Amino acid sequence: MNTWLGGNDDDREGSWVWSGGLLSWNYANWKAGQPDDWNSEDCLMMYPENGEWNDLNCAETLMFVCESHSVLEVFAFEATSQVVREGTPVDIKLSFLSTREYEFQWFHSDYEVTNASTRYKMVMSKTDNGTSILTLHIAKALQRDEGQWKIKVTSSGTYEARNLSLNVIPRLGLVMEPMFDFSVEEGEQLTIQCTIQNPESLVNIENGSLVLTKEGINLTPSSSTQLSMTWYKGTSMVDDSGVYTCLYTTYPDPVSVSVYATVIAQDQKRCKSEYSEGILWNTTLASTTKEEPCPSYQKGIATRKCNLEGVWETPNLINCTTETFLNASSQLDTILEDGITDPEKTSKTIDNTLQVMNNLTSSTPELSAGDLRSSIDILEKIVNVTNSSRTNIAKEVFFSVVDNVLSSNNSKSWNAVSEQTEKDASSLLKNIDRLSEVVIQNDNISATRFTGSNFELTINKTKIDETGIRFPEINSKNVSKESDVFSTFFELEKQERRVDKAMSYVAVIYKNIADILPTSSERPDDTEESSQRKAFVNSRVLSLSTQANIGPLNPPLNLTFQNIQTNNLPGMLTLCVSWNFTINKWSEQGCKLVKRDTKETVCECNHLTNFAILMRPYSEKSEDEQSLKTMSLVGVILSIVFVVMTFIIYILTWRFIKSDQNIMMLNLCASLVLAYVVFITSVEQTDNEGLCVAITAVLHYLFLVTFFNMLGMGIYYFMSITVTYYAMYVANNFKSKSRIHWFLVGTWGIPLGIVMIGLGCFWGERYHLRFYCWLSTESGSLYMFIVPVFLIAAANVIIIVSLVRVLCATSAMANSSMQKKAATGLRSLCTLLPVLGVTWLFGILAVNEKTYAFQYIFVLANSLQGIFIFVSHVLLNKKVMVGLRNKYPVLNTLVSFVESSKEEGNSVSKTHSSTEPISPLQNTKIRAELEKYFKRNGKRNKVQKSESFLTEKTISTDCILNDDTENDGKLSKNGSDTNKIQLIAEEDTPKKRFELSFNINPLKKKYTVTGM
């Protein structure tokens, strides 16, 4: 039936448009001879039998179709240029209009290109009029980019596809002969040739020619053609030494090659030409490295050093590789760089590569260092492709290649690779682990077992909360339990953690890898400088990985290793270690030694990875540091316990001992406990960099708060005792009101500022140590701690000296013997020393790792700081003990015992009376101070009580004042006119009454001051 299509030329005869007006008229299917506008035919109709068009009068009645807007309308698909030179950028763009959401795919030679590509960049953009633009950007076009490019855009079930062809002209290749830097002897002929290697690269290049320059100056060629030129000099001179460069003049993208020619003077040392490793090593100036092409059966560059004496060293062929390996590596590079994920292509490429490698590695008795290095790289690329494309590969062939590479025949090449490159045998461990992760993610995996000459592997499934794992398994029919083959094994007992289903696992034993594995350990004390013995791996390597992370193992993994060296190894430590791929070193974390004898070693580990036995040289230094670590840990735990006890007792007896001094003591206890808890729980959490920085900053802050609290207490003692002795009015002014809030702001605020400054100065500059979350000595961040601590400690030492001086100047000390005076001073010093943190001075002296004496003193004294605090501020503090007795009467016996033990030794705890005359100078000084005091306080009958520990227990003190005027410099010991100052104090809990009585002759006045 004839049908209206919706087109017309009503507005202008012959100009046909669609009725909707949105779509352009870019398609027609007119019947022959139509349109003819016969009888005013201005509307478009279609014959259904053949789909041809005709114009018809619009008044006719026909069936019709409705216009539907196209979901996709493509405007253009083009490239910046469809003929590009290799190495230049090119963009391929699609412009289109879409009314709905869409998806797109790029293809090159029928293989999809994805965002995994490292060479291609896909960009989406939109113009102001709603046109969408998809761009594929190629930064540097390569020969393999030549061919068909296609884009497919899909939306709502419809799609549009466009194609274009790209032609890539190869990049100009220039070759110089000699290819590498060379030397000639003075007087010999100097010849340099330059040749164009690929003439096809000169397409569309006109009026160009080869030019040879020496350090920017053009040289006249001896002979030249369109594609080659030669320059030579019959007799070379030393001045001919320099850089010779060849280039093509009109090539749009400058390409040049250069060599350095050295003309050796007669008196200069040189290495003479010789053949070695199938290479002719031409004459070379001493102390230079010569490069030459690899032997004919390999590709790459070989190097050889001519030493200072003009003697050739051993050639280095690490970069010489069999061409087959290079081709295989290049094919894998194409997949990785171009982001090709097509399963068919990737699987085919990988399988072909593995088959070629298996043939080469199994047929070659010993792989060269270059081929071994290429094998490691190819295996790593195969794993990368497998991970990105999830392609199934021939696992058995992969394992066979690994087994061949691990052959003991390749030990020499392994040593060369380890010494001259960043690769080593741990690369294979990592690749096996990474491939295992991909393989065991498949829930439908089938059990696989590979048994090779150099390693064995099992892939299987188990429900670990019901059945354990033992590997290698013992086959009672074939192998006895005592067989050497199975003397190295692990057992994982069924786990307490519940799992929903069976999970896959991969277990591996590497038999001959011990000699080629690195021996570096993450131990900070891992040093062999003082010993000629080297660390070595003394066992096979066991590995276990599971489909899902099962967390810490409970029960742990039990590993039994047969020792490779079974003789006694004095001076060597046996370490149970696992390989840490993050730092590429052996780690002891999570593993412990259970048993060791000459034949075998048993370990337990709480995690899964690759395990072995590492023998490490014993050193006195390492043992000292381990002892210090253990001592410090025990001491810190004891300190935490006693500091917490001190804190609790102070809180319980607070209404009896409330004072500014004790508030500071509580703050000191709190900061010290927090610092120690963070220290012992988090100081080794170095795996997470951000977390470790935070832990370091918190420790820095808390320890600084502790020290500033110590400084605050020192200042309090100084003002309460020293200043009281020398300037009583200053001390009374200081104690006239509480200033504790200023002390607390300073002790908690100043450290915060110091920590913020430290973070700002050393952010990203090794703020913390490599193995511990603590300030680093290398970057200098530790000085943000040492300097404040040193200043605080120095201030506390000064305060202690002043206190001891005051203590020695009292009348009680004046009557003591030298021995008793020393004992009293020592007791006072030992009471204040741990509280005021002077022991940290030894810590500052112990910064140098060789000062073990200071380190031991520091660890012992500072780790036991909590015990000293408890003894001196609880057991030896009468106020605290009396408070405990009042609050808990059951403690009366204990308190009485403690008090009685202090009666004889405390120089300031009991009443002293001395009638010994003091010097006139002291008499005058005391009289002057008293007169000043009474002038200011004449009408007051109360004075503030000093809380000084030196006077809190004083009951009565008599001081004889010599009056030079009345008694001619002497007073009778018991005369009625004796000048006497009498201090009487009476204490009663909870109230205390103090009576200060002055009887000063000849003033004959008595002053009594009573304080409650």
Side-chain angles (χ1 to χ4, degrees), residues 719 723-724 726-736 936:
M719 296 300 297
V723 177
T724 298
Y726 290 103
M728 184 180 294
Y729 67 94
V730 175
N732 286 333
N733 185 49
F734 171 77
K735 296 183 294 180
S736 62
R936 289 194 307 272

Side-chain angles (χ1 to χ4, degrees), residues 578-607:
S578 61
W579 185 258
N580 186 325
F581 289 109
T582 303
I583 61 175
N584 286 327
K585 290 184 177 181
W586 292 109
S587 170
E588 298 173 66
Q589 292 187 1
C591 293
K592 67 177 182 179
L593 179 65
V594 176
K595 185 189 75 170
R596 181 188 184 278
D597 55 36
T598 57
K599 291 185 177 181
E600 67 177 16
T601 302
V602 179
C603 302
E604 283 186 355
C605 298
N606 63 4
H607 58 92

Side-chain angles (χ1 to χ4, degrees), residues 636-660:
V636 164
I637 294 174
L638 287 174
S639 285
I640 291 175
V641 172
F642 281 97
V643 172
V644 169
M645 291 172 58
T646 302
F647 189 90
I648 293 174
I649 290 174
Y650 268 53
I651 294 299
L652 293 176
T653 60
W654 185 244
R655 71 188 186 95
F656 303 106
I657 64 171
K658 183 176 181 180
S659 67
D660 290 352

